[in-house]
Amino acid sequence: MLRDFSTLGDEEVFLRLKQGQEEAVEEIYRRFWKELLDAAYRRVKSQEAAMELVQGLLVQLYLKRERIQLRTSLRNYLHTALKNKVLNSIRAELVRNTYQQRMAASGQASQPDAASALRLKELQEQIDASCAAMPEKCREVFYLSRREHLSYQHIADQLGISVNTVEKHMVKALKILRSHLKEYNFTLLWALLCFAARLLR
């Protein structure tokens, strides 16, 4: 039976999320998606990048829900976390650009060395094994997002499902990956996953 969370305050909805009530994810998504997307877009000036940041933030909120302790309102927490994600993405972009410039200046190819390529190949094999454990639709959504780099809206249109359903499949996919690849720092894993998909496809 679906619960109606529309009359609950934000912090109470988050408490329900911490208790494992999955409908709370949908309620938080409904309440905050648009304002977070607008806030991200004002900072990065790209709709696609803004969507990636907000999607990542909400997935992270779900995955870390048991460890998060709100010291302010849920709205303030989400906006602060989003600001930090934007800053981190800018730093990562600067690091990538600096690395590419140094490689170009030294005349070296921008390809990874053999050892790095081998590690990425091994990681990809572990990821593929984890993906094989996913339900079929969940795996399809994950591949379209991470391998084809489609937005959630494009995936929804292609598969004939709602964006909300795409979001649920991605949350499930990330939980499976996190469970199967416990030896990796999950943030690092996510970055490597994106890079490996580009390198090995």
Side-chain angles (χ1 to χ4, degrees):
M1 178 180 176
L2 293 177
R3 302 173 181 87
D4 181 11
F5 291 162
S6 62
T7 61
L8 299 179
D10 296 340
E11 289 67 48
E12 181 64 24
V13 173
F14 181 69
L15 180 60
R16 302 295 178 88
L17 176 66
K18 288 173 71 73
Q19 294 170 348
Q21 298 182 26
E22 293 187 1
E23 297 95 329
V25 177
E26 298 179 23
E27 183 65 22
I28 291 172
Y29 182 95
R30 184 188 66 77
R31 292 186 188 190
F32 295 106
W33 170 259
K34 182 64 167 60
E35 68 179 76
L36 290 171
L37 187 62
D38 289 344
Y41 180 79
R42 286 196 300 271
R43 291 182 171 96
V44 300
K45 307 301 182 186
S46 163
Q47 189 74 10
E48 191 72 19
M51 287 182 67
E52 286 285 335
L53 285 166
V54 176
Q55 289 161 0
L57 172 62
L58 294 177
V59 167
Q60 189 176 50
L61 179 74
Y62 178 80
L63 293 175
K64 295 185 175 182
R65 64 192 183 280
E66 295 178 359
R67 301 194 299 276
I68 294 173
Q69 298 297 325
L70 292 183
R71 292 178 172 80
T72 179
S73 69
L74 178 59
R75 173 172 275 105
N76 285 344
Y77 172 85
L78 289 171
H79 280 277
T80 299
L82 177 63
K83 180 181 177 182
N84 290 335
K85 284 185 75 67
V86 170
L87 291 174
N88 288 339
S89 73
I90 291 171
R91 286 192 202 102
E93 186 65 28
L94 287 173
V95 169
R96 282 194 297 271
N97 290 341
T98 300
Y99 174 77
Q100 289 171 356
Q101 288 168 7
R102 287 179 180 173
M103 294 298 286
S106 67
Q108 299 179 43
S110 60
Q111 295 298 320
D113 59 29
S116 297
L118 179 59
R119 285 194 295 271
L120 285 171
K121 187 173 188 299
E122 290 172 348
L123 172 62
Q124 187 65 53
E125 289 172 353
Q126 292 185 53
I127 291 169
D128 288 342
S130 300
C131 290
M134 297 177 186
E136 182 179 356
K137 186 64 72 173
C138 178
R139 182 169 60 248
E140 186 176 11
V141 167
F142 180 78
Y143 279 157
L144 289 173
S145 174
R146 294 298 96 191
R147 297 276 177 89
E148 303 298 327
H149 305 291
L150 297 184
S151 69
Y152 283 16
Q153 185 61 62
H154 287 153
I155 295 171
D157 293 342
Q158 183 167 324
L159 299 181
I161 57 180
S162 69
V163 172
N164 193 35
T165 300
V166 172
E167 177 89 15
K168 287 182 177 179
H169 282 308
M170 282 298 293
V171 167
K172 182 182 293 185
L174 291 174
K175 282 184 68 177
I176 292 171
L177 274 176
R178 192 180 189 202
S179 173
H180 286 211
L181 301 168
K182 292 178 180 177
E183 68 270 25
Y184 290 93
N185 172 282
F186 194 68
T187 302
L188 176 61
L189 169 63
W190 188 247
L192 285 172
L193 175 58
C194 295
F195 179 62
R198 291 196 298 271
L199 180 68
L200 299 172
R201 71 172 182 265

